[in-house]
Amino acid sequence: LFLTQKYKLPRPAVGQRGLDYAEQIRDMGSRIPEFMCHYYNFYFAHTAGGRMIGKKMSSLLLNKLTLEFYKWDGDLNDIKGRVRENIETIADSWTREEKDLCVSGTVGAFKGGGGLNSYLSGGGAGH
């Protein structure tokens, strides 16, 4: 939204990879452990490497503007610690089968995220 408003760029349609990944997430339905795997991987990826990438792109392209996506209400390391603790508390109550379902979701999380990253960077193939 920021780029479309500030630079009067047209908002692109959601690409097929985004539609596919959204459908994958919706199909999880009540399989909370599998969804939690996706959430965990994306949350910590975006609050770690994503911040470094965002800062670099902001420096190169946006006169060091900090986008809203990178603003946090409080200390990010404290927030991440609390989120991690909450997820671990939830996972402690899971059965062995639910824990296995969470672990098996890792491939899908990376495939979905890799496909989105590939699409956003203009590439044709996902990782």
Side-chain angles (χ1 to χ4, degrees):
L1 191 58
F2 167 78
L3 293 174
T4 61
Q5 291 174 348
K6 174 119 176 123
Y7 298 104
K8 309 292 187 242
L9 297 171
R11 185 175 185 174
V14 176
Q16 190 60 49
R17 290 183 190 253
L19 295 170
D20 291 346
Y21 190 54
E23 184 64 25
Q24 179 184 353
I25 296 293
R26 277 194 288 283
D27 285 346
M28 287 177 198
S30 63
R31 297 188 315 265
I32 299 302
E34 187 177 1
F35 172 78
M36 191 63 71
C37 175
H38 287 255
Y39 175 81
Y40 184 93
N41 280 294
F42 275 89
Y43 182 83
F44 288 102
H46 288 291
T47 56
R51 286 183 26 229
M52 291 186 301
I53 293 167
K55 191 174 203 176
K56 182 67 173 176
M57 292 297 100
S58 174
S59 174
L60 293 171
L61 304 172
L62 302 171
N63 296 321
K64 298 185 179 181
L65 175 69
T66 300
L67 299 175
E68 293 299 315
F69 181 82
Y70 297 105
K71 295 179 182 176
W72 299 87
D73 188 19
D75 179 76
L76 182 56
N77 288 327
D78 289 341
I79 295 168
K80 289 188 323 186
R82 287 193 307 274
V83 169
R84 184 178 298 112
E85 288 172 11
N86 289 338
I87 291 171
E88 289 173 1
T89 298
I90 292 167
D92 283 344
S93 69
W94 290 345
T95 64
R96 178 76 257 156
E97 292 79 20
E98 289 171 318
K99 290 176 182 179
D100 291 344
L101 183 60
C102 181
V103 170
S104 71
T106 303
V107 171
F110 281 93
K111 184 177 179 185
L116 292 175
N117 286 339
S118 178
Y119 174 75
L120 292 171
S121 68
H127 343 340

